[in-house]
């Protein structure tokens, strides 16, 4: 089976074969990196709930690669235990930013990679180089664009990254709950980076905030084919939806949020109470 051609025919934009041992894998053989790219989306509208297009792309890539691996009858296996950023840092045509994202020449960071390993040895497409340095130079755009101070001169701080907290199952620190309409993902440090393509793609349809609050389980189930079951967990999605509602300024959502203050999930209950308080501020007279 020509796995490389199979994946390209399935929608992957680029497939690269590398020597597994040279990449730091414990096994001999061939490491295959399959890149699924997506267009840079235009600024999302400030209504309903927004999912970053990366998550749509990653789910499509996973399902395509999974099907190809099964069809290979054991010749290739999907792997999720191999760190790819150190490999990207040694690949010609790749670089890394202060935000820790890897960039591919001509594409930027707007890609998802699937990793497959074969015990067989195939000719490698490239020889890895010495590790590259950051491509940022004196640029500070991502530092200035990050809404929570998650990037500074010292580098990236995961504990301050919005995406790190989203759908984590843990109550999000109050200082980081101003997430706008982001249900999943944040694009600030990518959108401002000069190594990125300009936003050209059409916006993907937002998710109805009212549906998420009133029918969380049913609405979340419709997201599973799009973003995967590991992310589409009803109470986690509902908890994040409460934050989006609290940032929306839409006081008509208050009755639904009031009811959710008594939700059995501590995460949902805490986020709903915060959202109620935020929206009640919209109703208070300015001189109160």
């Amino acid at each position: 089976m020509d796995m490389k051609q199979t994946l390209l025919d399935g929608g992957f934009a680029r497939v690269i074969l590398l020597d597994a041992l040279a990449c730091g894998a414990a096994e001999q053989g061939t490491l295959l990196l399959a890149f699924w790219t997506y267009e840079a989306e235009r600024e999302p509208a400030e209504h309903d709930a927004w999912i970053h297009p990366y998550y749509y792309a990653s789910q499509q890539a996973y399902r395509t690669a999974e099907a190809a691996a099964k069809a290979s009858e054991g010749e290739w296996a999907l792997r999720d235990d191999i760190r790819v950023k150190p490999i990207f840092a040694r690949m010609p045509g790749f670089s890394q930013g202060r935000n820790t994202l890897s960039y591919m020449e001509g594409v930027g960071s707007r890609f998802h990679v699937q990793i497959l390993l074969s015990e067989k040895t195939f000719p490698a497409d490239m020889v890895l180089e010495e590790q590259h340095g950051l491509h940022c130079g004196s640029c500070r755009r991502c530092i200035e664009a990050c809404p929570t101070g998650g990037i500074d001169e010292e580098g990236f701080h995961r504990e301050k990254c919005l995406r790190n907290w989203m759908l984590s199952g843990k109550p999000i620190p109050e200082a980081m709950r101003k997430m706008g309409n982001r249900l999943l993902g944040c694009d600030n440090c990518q959108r401002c980076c000069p190594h990125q393509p300009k936003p050209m793609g059409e916006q993907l349809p937002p998710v109805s905030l009212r549906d998420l609050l009133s029918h969380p389980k049913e609405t979340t189930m419709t997201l599973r084919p799009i973003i995967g079951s590991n992310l589409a967990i009803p109470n986690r999605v509902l908890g994040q939806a409460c934050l989006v509602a609290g940032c929306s300024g839409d006081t008509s959502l208050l009755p639904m949020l009031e009811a959710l203050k008594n939700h059995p999930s501590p995460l949902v209950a805490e986020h709903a109470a915060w959202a109620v308080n935020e929206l009640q501020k919209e109703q208070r007279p300015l001189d109160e």
Side-chain angles (χ1 to χ4, degrees):
M1 173 181 188
D2 186 348
M3 177 59 78
K4 190 171 183 179
Q5 191 59 51
T6 297
L7 293 173
L8 291 170
D9 291 343
F12 283 91
R14 188 177 181 186
V15 179
I16 298 174
L17 300 179
L18 298 170
D19 178 84
L21 287 178
C23 294
E27 305 93 332
Q28 292 184 342
T30 303
L31 197 68
L32 181 152
L33 304 182
F35 297 85
W36 192 287
T37 62
Y38 60 92
E39 288 193 37
E41 188 180 59
R42 295 186 186 133
E43 190 75 29
E46 291 294 332
H47 67 277
D48 287 323
W50 176 73
I51 296 175
H52 191 280
Y54 168 84
Y55 298 97
Y56 295 89
S58 63
Q59 180 65 3
Q60 288 178 297
Y62 170 74
R63 296 178 72 160
T64 303
E66 180 185 42
K70 288 181 179 179
S72 75
E73 298 181 341
E75 182 175 82
W76 291 92
L78 275 178
R79 297 291 294 265
D80 61 3
D81 60 336
I82 297 174
R83 295 179 62 231
V84 290
K85 286 186 179 180
I87 301 174
F88 294 154
R90 298 174 57 201
M91 290 173 61
F94 285 74
S95 63
Q96 189 177 66
R98 190 178 280 109
N99 57 5
T100 77
L101 296 178
S102 298
Y103 292 71
M104 181 164 58
E105 189 174 351
V107 173
S109 66
R110 300 189 186 277
F111 65 84
H112 171 80
V113 64
Q114 284 289 316
I115 311 158
L116 293 92
L117 182 68
S118 175
E119 295 179 354
K120 295 183 179 180
T121 300
F122 297 97
D125 292 321
M126 63 175 61
V127 176
L128 298 182
E129 305 172 337
E130 292 296 319
Q131 184 168 332
H132 317 311
L134 299 183
H135 61 212
C136 304
S138 60
C139 180
R140 293 177 48 86
R141 293 187 191 182
C142 66
I143 294 175
E144 296 165 358
C146 182
T148 54
I151 308 170
D152 59 23
E153 298 290 356
E154 300 299 319
F156 171 73
H157 303 279
R158 183 176 297 277
E159 71 279 3
K160 294 183 179 181
C161 177
L162 292 181
R163 172 61 192 97
N164 179 59
W165 290 94
M166 291 173 175
L167 307 190
S168 66
K170 303 174 184 178
I172 295 176
E174 190 164 345
M176 298 179 66
R177 292 178 183 175
K178 294 286 189 176
M179 294 192 174
N181 65 341
R182 301 175 180 93
L183 186 70
L184 180 57
C186 176
D187 202 35
N188 285 33
C189 69
Q190 294 188 71
R191 192 177 296 277
C192 70
C193 180
H195 291 265
Q196 291 285 40
K198 294 181 180 179
M200 298 292 288
E202 294 298 328
Q203 290 177 20
L204 295 166
V207 183
S208 169
L209 190 51
R210 289 184 178 278
D211 288 348
L212 285 169
L213 296 176
S214 60
H215 300 89
K217 186 172 182 179
E218 296 85 346
T219 307
T220 300
M221 290 304 104
T222 67
L223 295 178
R224 285 198 168 181
I226 301 172
I227 63 174
S229 57
N230 289 340
L231 292 174
I233 299 172
N235 283 348
R236 295 188 184 190
V237 172
L238 178 57
Q240 186 66 23
C242 289
L243 297 187
V244 175
C247 295
S248 70
D250 185 353
T251 56
S252 71
L253 300 174
L254 275 169
M256 285 184 282
L257 291 165
E258 286 281 5
L260 291 171
K261 287 167 63 177
N262 298 315
H263 196 278
S265 164
L267 167 70
V268 174
E270 180 175 335
H271 285 186
W274 177 86
V276 167
N277 184 61
E278 289 298 304
L279 292 180
Q280 285 177 341
K281 293 177 184 177
E282 300 289 332
Q283 295 181 323
R284 296 171 191 158
L286 293 178
D287 58 353
E288 185 176 305

